[in-house]
Amino acid sequence: MWTLVWDGVLIRNPVLFEAVGVAPLVAMAVSVKTAVILSAVSAAELLAIELLACLLMKRLKSGLRMLLYAALGMAVDLPLCLFFMSFMPNEAASAGIFLPLLAVSSLIALHCERFAVKNTLPDTLADAVSASAGYALVVLIVGAVREILGSGTICGFVLPVPVRLKGLLMPFGGFLLLGFAAAAFRALAHKKSPPARPENAFDLSGLSEPYFAGPKADIKEDSASRGGDREPSLPSRGRRAKKPVRERPAAAARAEKRRTGRLRKKEADGPKGLFAEDRKDCSSEFSEILLDLERYREQKRSEKAGDEKTREDEIGNGGESE
Amino acid sequence: MNGIGGLFSAAMYALLLQNLIFTGGYGADEALRMAARPRRLLPVSAFIAYFSALGSLFCALLEKIPRVHALCALPHALVFAGTLGALYLATLVFAVLVLRVKKQTVKDLGVSAFNTLVLAVPFIRYRASFGAGAALGLGLGSGLAFAAAGLLIGLGLRRLAESEDVPECFKGTPALFVYVSILALAFTGFSGNGLNL
């Protein structure tokens, strides 16, 4: 459990390596107090909604789930807004409209869609705790640095800071600090566990795609709707990935035989109706080409099988001689 | 004429003067993700323009009701979220049952409807007391701002991915954040406010 939490905090930090929850952070985390508000609201929302999604929403369609995440986000967020407005009024006021906007933070929707609806309750709990802890850690670090360097204070106490960089209090300052924090975390993660490659979490595989896919790209087509540029799912924690299914050679041979048989039958039957003669010529020619192709494929396959067998024999002989 | 003028000036405000993504940080997560998936950038930008424009317009019309107008800030948030939810549900039903769109498009609709940018637009309109025309312009401008942000970030992302000069620990999201901060600084300059760095 602790390994999973640690993994989520350092190696798969939601904000630094997955780039989610960035918007509230750059706009709102300008002091330690606002950072505390942001982390508390985000953690409460993430825990409550992820657990509910795991328990109740697995069978719903993703379109409806998105609506429910927003509704639940509002249900959790508004009482917390009222609480912070009464206990920390200045900080809540400085957060501005971002406090109610946290209800639709991408941190929640993404973690629910990629993890909670696909995994068990203990795994989801671990993910929610690790993501909340990782997010809170970054928010507090960025909030503290921005308050010290931007305002010259920490938790309201004035510090003898020689230079004040007020630009850090603006969103671009937040992005800049996030960049440096991400680099520091990445260096640390690389030192602790070199095989992990956190930069892969922010998926760049589709970067070379064209910008325009045509107006009909969004309409359902059988072949296109099955495959897909789906959202990459987070790796399932504590479980092994499924092995790719290998086609059995006997089954493949049977399928091949059926296909060849069907072709031969078609050739024997011949075309019917108008222009039957012309079509018969063309179809017989085409069938011959296909049969040639099948023969060539079979020949290649048998050659390949022979090669593999000789290689295995050679390896076997080598092992014995050693 | 006033309405059309308001529409254009509000659109320009959201796109250039106060680019909501770079100078406000609204919808930055989605812009970063869509910049890495160029094929989805334009549809998502169009959906964002649709949801923010219509959501903002309906909220502006609801404000005409005295009871709604008299509400304080938090109940207003509920009204805005409710309006957006109803708009999303109607669009979803139409898209799935009539247009029979792909699963990916349904996902894109969800991402476009519920994000900080689309929900922020009615708030900004409410604070600035914009009328219906300006509300529509603000929504369309935010969609354009999202597309512009995605294109600019995407261009930088390609260059960063190709470059071998980026230090090892800055590869990936760290370099991306630094690049976005430079873009945000440039757009903050457009706003005309003194930076006081």
Side-chain angles (χ1 to χ4, degrees), chain A residues 15-24 26-27 62-64 66-67 70 74 78 81-82 85 96-98 100-101 104-107 110 113-114 164-167 170-172 175-176 178-180 182-183 186-187 197 199 202-213 217-221 224-225 229-232, chain B residues 21-30 32-43 47 74 77-78 81 85 88-89 92 99-107 110-111 114-116 119-120 123-124 127 150-151 154-155 157-158 161 168-174 176-178 180-181 184-185 188 194-197:
Chain A
V15 63
L16 297 181
F17 301 126
E18 292 170 14
V20 290
V22 177
V26 295
S62 74
L64 276 178
M66 293 299 284
L67 183 65
M74 274 286 163
L78 289 186
C81 284
L82 281 174
M85 275 177 176
I97 62 170
F98 257 100
L101 291 190
V104 289
S105 171
S106 64
L107 178 70
L110 244 85
E113 276 300 292
R114 288 185 184 178
R164 284 185 192 178
L165 304 167
K166 285 185 178 173
M170 300 176 97
F172 71 81
F175 279 120
L176 192 66
L178 264 186
F180 283 97
R186 223 199 118 182
R197 293 187 61 77
E199 76 273 18
F202 183 70
D203 186 29
L204 296 175
S205 57
L207 195 61
S208 53
E209 289 173 351
Y211 279 102
F212 190 63
D218 290 337
I219 308 296
K220 203 183 267 179
E221 279 169 24
S225 61
D229 54 349
R230 291 183 200 151
E231 284 275 351
Chain B
I21 289 102
F22 289 125
T23 52
Y26 305 105
D29 313 20
E30 286 75 19
L32 290 175
R33 277 210 311 285
M34 290 308 140
R37 290 167 169 263
R39 209 152 59 88
R40 288 172 59 196
L41 176 67
L42 294 181
F47 293 147
L74 279 183
L78 262 180
Y88 169 71
L89 203 58
L92 186 69
L99 295 178
R100 294 185 178 279
V101 294
K102 282 184 198 172
K103 262 186 185 178
Q104 187 58 55
T105 312
V106 174
K107 277 186 182 175
V111 170
F114 301 111
N115 59 63
T116 46
L119 193 57
F123 274 103
I124 295 167
R127 287 194 163 187
L151 284 170
L155 287 174
L157 211 51
R158 282 178 195 218
E168 185 59 32
C169 64
F170 270 90
K171 276 182 183 162
T173 44
L176 173 69
F177 286 138
V178 174
V180 173
S181 80
L185 176 62
T188 310
L195 285 175
N196 291 328
L197 295 173

Side-chain angles (χ1 to χ4, degrees), chain A residues 122-172:
Chain A
D123 283 350
T124 305
L125 185 66
D127 178 69
V129 170
S130 65
S132 309
Y135 190 66
L137 181 68
V138 176
V139 167
L140 287 172
I141 290 172
V142 171
V145 173
R146 284 171 98 176
E147 189 179 354
I148 293 169
L149 296 179
S151 310
T153 59
I154 183 84
C155 297
F157 298 106
V158 180
L159 292 176
V161 182
V163 183
R164 284 185 192 178
L165 304 167
K166 285 185 178 173
L168 284 181
L169 301 176
M170 300 176 97
F172 71 81

Side-chain angles (χ1 to χ4, degrees), chain A residues 86-103:
Chain A
S86 53
F87 285 95
M88 298 165 90
N90 293 335
E91 285 72 27
S94 73
I97 62 170
F98 257 100
L99 212 45
L101 291 190
L102 284 177

Side-chain angles (χ1 to χ4, degrees), chain B:
Chain B
M1 190 62 201
N2 235 357
I4 294 170
L7 189 147
F8 275 107
S9 56
M12 286 297 112
Y13 169 81
L15 174 62
L16 286 174
L17 285 182
Q18 200 67 261
N19 184 294
L20 296 177
I21 289 102
F22 289 125
T23 52
Y26 305 105
D29 313 20
E30 286 75 19
L32 290 175
R33 277 210 311 285
M34 290 308 140
R37 290 167 169 263
R39 209 152 59 88
R40 288 172 59 196
L41 176 67
L42 294 181
V44 169
S45 305
F47 293 147
I48 284 182
Y50 164 79
F51 282 116
S52 48
L54 284 190
S56 174
L57 182 68
F58 289 146
C59 290
L61 295 176
L62 279 175
E63 288 288 325
K64 306 263 182 203
I65 302 168
R67 269 195 180 179
V68 177
H69 189 72
L71 292 172
C72 58
L74 279 183
H76 258 112
L78 262 180
V79 172
F80 298 155
T83 310
L84 209 57
L87 183 63
Y88 169 71
L89 203 58
T91 311
L92 186 69
V93 168
F94 183 74
V96 172
L97 297 182
V98 180
L99 295 178
R100 294 185 178 279
V101 294
K102 282 184 198 172
K103 262 186 185 178
Q104 187 58 55
T105 312
V106 174
K107 277 186 182 175
D108 286 348
L109 273 177
V111 170
S112 316
F114 301 111
N115 59 63
T116 46
L117 175 63
V118 173
L119 193 57
V121 170
F123 274 103
I124 295 167
R125 185 214 56 80
Y126 169 66
R127 287 194 163 187
S129 307
F130 282 156
L136 203 60
L138 193 64
L140 294 174
S142 66
L144 286 174
F146 185 86
L151 284 170
L152 284 172
I153 298 170
L155 287 174
L157 211 51
R158 282 178 195 218
R159 295 294 292 269
L160 287 172
E162 286 164 8
S163 173
E164 289 173 4
D165 300 332
V166 180
E168 185 59 32
C169 64
F170 270 90
K171 276 182 183 162
T173 44
L176 173 69
F177 286 138
V178 174
Y179 171 69
V180 173
S181 80
I182 296 166
L183 282 176
L185 176 62
F187 272 92
T188 310
F190 277 136
S191 68
N193 299 327
L195 285 175
N196 291 328
L197 295 173

